[in-house]
Amino acid sequence: MKYISTRGKTAPVGFKDAVMMGLAEDGGLLLPESIPALTKDELAAMAKMTYPELAYAVLSKFADDIPENDLKELINKSYASFETPEVAPVVKKGEVFIQELFHGPTFAFKDVALQLLGNLFEYILKERNEKLNIIGATSGDTGSAAIYGVRGKDNINIFILHPEGRVSRVQKMQMTSVTDDNVFNIAVNGTFDDCQDIVKEIFADVEFKKQNKLGAVNSINWARVLAQVVYYFYGYFRAVEKGAEKVRFVVPTGNFGNIFAGYFATRMGLKIDKLILATNENNILSRFINSGDYSIKEVVITHSPSMDIQIASNFERFLYYLYNENSSKVVEKMAELKSTGKITFTDKEIEDTQKLFGTFSTSNMLTETVIQYFYNTFKYILDPHTACGVAAALEFHDANYVCLSTAHPAKFPEVAKKAAGVSPVVPAGISKLENLEKKCILMDCDTAKVKKYLADNI
Ligand SMILES: *Cc1c(COP(=O)(O)O)cnc(C)c1O
């Protein structure tokens, strides 16, 4: 399987190269040049597989430059770090299915992708006898999941910048309690945007980047999307076993990464009836699905910070398919977005989108109401991101919705406390961090100093 860019200007590359490349060299996103369609027999067999078996069945269609046994080993290793062998179990609460994606080491769904990506990086670097120094800025979740993905791995260092005093207590503990030699936490006296600007400036120094073998960690790596495709299959089959007639997934969405994986699963032949895109008050994607209004507004701070996003970095992958794989059209539309702050769509394009996608946008108040209702009725605490999705399922009210639960409630305990008057039980995996040694350096908001720190430690 070869990978091409949504913008059509890079030569096709294999899976391993696509993983190492991340962003395509023409600024586009990588996609497989064709989508393998699963046969009825293959789908029937998949319904009975364990999570790692299913992951192999999906990934082997795309990662055909990794030998069978190696790929199996990479998958097994990645999902052995989850606290349940089911990896992504489905529970039923009243009429609503919840697929819990938070059983990984940092208690958020990003582990599903980043545990695999870390192992893939290590495998490919070893084979090529290369080194990689990952540098990234985080507002919380991605940084901790990325650190856990690569801690202790050979030939990789990771440097994560976070804004001092502006990530949650749990997130800070998760990152700084990782004391492996290859992990470097940098708390910056500044905001998340300051951290991101520093990273951008460092990447803009092409010579420095090359010399120090710098790489990024972000939600656009193809392997991340691919890892996420797997749990749609797993969740679909579990929901059917538990009585769902049509399966509709509700997906709390920020960067369009998670829901794109669901879209991709349908393109492989999984009969998902609807994909419901759930947003908070940052509702650009909801407006797009409702009426084709894709115009960027100011970011609003909400109860679900990991979805406080206006520019959905994975949306371009969907556009590529919406425009029937016409990469010139993608280039044109991305330029339109850059110059005017919006993309316009034809009625036909909106209709085509609505065939598969529905949407619902939630306020902070409704998020609290849903958390309270769920706790009072089922004694089950939802994290605020998940609650945005559950709000949609309750609104549509029938028995076929699988709500993806993207974080453990103990990661965002303040909202549950406010809404339902309870504090989520803190899992041992979080409470034990309290007493661990911490490793973090505090730095001024100064790109030159951060650069020196990188160079000294690589
Ligand atoms: C990252 C994140 C999301 C949003 O996922 P996207 O792939 O960006 O759509 C939702 N919930 C939580 C808890 C997250 O960490």
Side-chain angles (χ1 to χ4, degrees), residues 393-455:
L394 294 174
E395 175 79 14
F396 297 123
H397 200 75
D398 80 39
N400 297 311
Y401 289 94
V402 181
C403 300
L404 297 186
S405 179
T406 53
H408 190 287
K411 264 201 122 164
F412 303 92
E414 297 80 11
V415 188
K417 180 89 189 152
K418 177 161 187 269
V422 285
S423 295
V425 175
V426 180
I430 292 178
S431 59
K432 73 167 190 220
L433 303 178
E434 208 77 58
N435 298 319
L436 295 181
E437 187 194 334
K438 305 291 188 306
K439 179 181 165 190
C440 182
I441 175 167
L442 181 65
M443 294 189 84
D444 287 334
C445 190
D446 180 337
T447 305
K449 282 189 187 155
V450 176
K451 262 172 137 169
K452 178 164 188 313
Y453 181 75
L454 291 185

Side-chain angles (χ1 to χ4, degrees), residues 260-273:
F260 179 80
Y263 170 75
F264 203 82
T266 69
R267 295 290 307 258
M268 293 176 71
L270 188 66
K271 296 269 175 289
I272 296 172
D273 185 61

Side-chain angles (χ1 to χ4, degrees), residues 5-10 26-29 316 319-320 323 325-339 342-343:
S5 165
T6 49
R7 302 196 188 177
K9 303 238 164 47
T10 44
D26 60 3
L29 305 185
E316 183 169 336
L319 287 182
Y320 178 76
Y323 298 140
E325 311 187 14
N326 179 343
S327 50
S328 330
K329 187 89 189 266
V330 174
V331 172
E332 180 197 316
K333 288 294 182 172
M334 293 312 288
E336 179 183 329
L337 179 66
K338 203 165 176 193
S339 63
K342 64 179 199 273
I343 302 179

Side-chain angles (χ1 to χ4, degrees), residues 89 145 159 192 245 248 283 306 367 370 380 384 435:
F159 298 83
F192 170 63
E245 284 162 11
R248 299 180 177 149
N283 62 358
S306 298
T367 305
V370 167
Y380 186 90
N435 298 319

Side-chain angles (χ1 to χ4, degrees), residues 101-153:
L101 303 177
F102 54 70
H103 292 285
T106 72
F107 300 90
F109 88 103
K110 291 189 172 70
D111 289 328
V112 178
L114 286 166
Q115 285 292 304
L116 180 73
L117 186 62
N119 284 317
L120 282 169
F121 276 154
E122 184 181 52
Y123 175 83
I124 300 167
L125 289 168
K126 184 166 182 207
E127 190 177 79
R128 298 182 173 182
N129 196 19
E130 286 173 8
K131 293 201 186 318
L132 174 66
N133 294 297
I134 295 170
I135 167 159
T138 188
S139 56
D141 271 358
T142 306
S144 43
I147 287 171
Y148 273 76
V150 304
R151 67 182 298 181
K153 299 232 182 303

